[in-house]
Amino acid sequence: QQQVKQSPQSLIVQKGGISIINCAYENTAFDYFPWYQQFPGKGPALLIAIRPDVSEKKEGRFTISFNKSAKQFSLHIMDSQPGDSATYFCALTLKQGAQKLVFGQGTRLTINP
Amino acid sequence: DAGVIQSPRHEVTEMGQEVTLRCKPISGHNSLFWYRQTMMRGLELLIYFNNNVPIDDSGMPEDRFSAKMPNASFSTLKIQPSEPRDSAVYFCASSLDRGLYEQYFGPGTRLTVT
């Protein structure tokens, strides 16, 4: 079964700093690499997504970087704010069989004011 | 514009009882997903419907779990009999076919089985 390994499990960053979350995958049969953000008591919500033919995508303070040869992708949050404190999940969509999302284990991000 | 609606939001039940969780997807979405979230196992896909038909139920833990989607606007996840290890937050999500990576999650149902 396809797996996505996410690190770190938890991360504490000072306000204004850069938060970096990494994910590694094993297989190559995928379509998209989305990142989801989840606040306590809420369901996950799509934050940003990247296609495998693109090496980087930026939306505001959020940037996804994709390294196909290393089979890794990462989320960078620039100028991190206390409101960014949440759990972040990387994911990928499988091409083989029934298409579905496979999620990483999640990273609990805390931004200290 | 209403998002995915789930009910109940919280459910506390005793071991052995039947539990039914309900979901109303976003209108126009034709894919529906049931997930379970726990600290130990993270976010797990239980079952996935497309156009009301179950496509992949490989994540359903065991025969105690069953899911139905009688029409495009309603789905249920039933656990019978429930066990303490079923305690988790259960999410329903929906998406358009072409935007499969873009799933819209409901607020979840927190299930506690004592």
Side-chain angles (χ1 to χ4, degrees):
Chain A
Q1 167 142 5
Q2 179 76 38
Q3 288 189 342
V4 182
K5 296 183 180 179
Q6 184 172 346
S7 62
Q9 283 189 321
S10 63
L11 180 63
I12 300 175
V13 175
Q14 292 299 118
K15 179 182 175 181
I18 302 174
S19 304
I20 302 174
I21 303 171
N22 299 297
C23 284
Y25 59 96
E26 296 177 350
N27 211 328
T28 56
F30 49 77
D31 271 332
Y32 279 90
F33 293 93
W35 286 84
Y36 280 73
Q37 179 188 55
Q38 184 180 26
F39 292 105
K42 306 289 185 182
L46 179 66
L47 181 65
I48 185 174
I50 194 170
R51 292 168 52 102
D53 56 352
V54 175
S55 61
E56 185 175 285
K57 181 176 181 179
K58 183 177 181 179
E59 289 186 1
R61 296 183 294 107
F62 300 89
T63 300
I64 303 178
S65 298
F66 177 67
N67 186 330
K68 188 173 181 178
S69 61
K71 297 183 181 178
Q72 294 178 345
F73 57 111
S74 60
L75 175 69
H76 290 63
I77 306 174
M78 311 299 289
D79 187 25
S80 299
Q81 299 296 312
D84 297 331
S85 297
T87 299
Y88 292 81
F89 294 92
C90 64
L92 54 81
T93 57
L94 297 178
K95 266 187 182 177
Q96 56 213 28
Q99 288 190 325
K100 59 185 180 183
L101 273 178
V102 177
F103 286 90
Q105 284 296 98
T107 296
R108 179 171 291 184
L109 174 65
T110 301
I111 307 300
N112 285 334
Chain B
D1 185 21
V4 174
I5 299 172
Q6 291 187 246
S7 65
R9 293 294 311 276
H10 302 273
E11 177 80 36
V12 180
T13 190
E14 293 183 347
M15 181 174 64
Q17 296 298 306
E18 176 181 302
V19 175
T20 299
L21 311 182
R22 297 172 176 79
C23 174
K24 176 179 170 57
I26 292 174
S27 177
H29 284 188
N30 59 358
S31 291
L32 182 139
F33 309 82
W34 282 101
Y35 290 90
R36 179 172 66 178
Q37 186 175 39
T38 61
M39 288 295 292
M40 289 295 294
R41 301 175 67 90
L43 201 57
E44 300 175 278
L45 176 66
L46 299 177
I47 187 169
Y48 155 34
F49 292 87
N50 184 249
N51 294 322
N52 312 336
V53 176
I55 301 300
D56 185 349
D57 65 354
S58 60
M60 295 287 262
E62 46 196 275
D63 292 345
R64 299 185 296 107
F65 285 70
S66 62
K68 294 182 180 180
M69 191 164 187
N71 57 63
S73 59
F74 183 66
S75 177
T76 59
L77 178 68
K78 183 180 292 186
I79 307 173
Q80 180 184 20
S82 58
E83 297 183 2
R85 59 189 168 128
D86 301 330
S87 297
V89 180
Y90 291 81
F91 289 103
C92 175
S94 69
S95 75
L96 293 168
D97 252 355
R98 60 185 179 274
L100 193 65
Y101 70 91
E102 186 173 4
Q103 296 183 12
Y104 293 80
F105 282 73
T109 296
R110 181 173 293 277
L111 173 65
T112 302
V113 183
T114 60

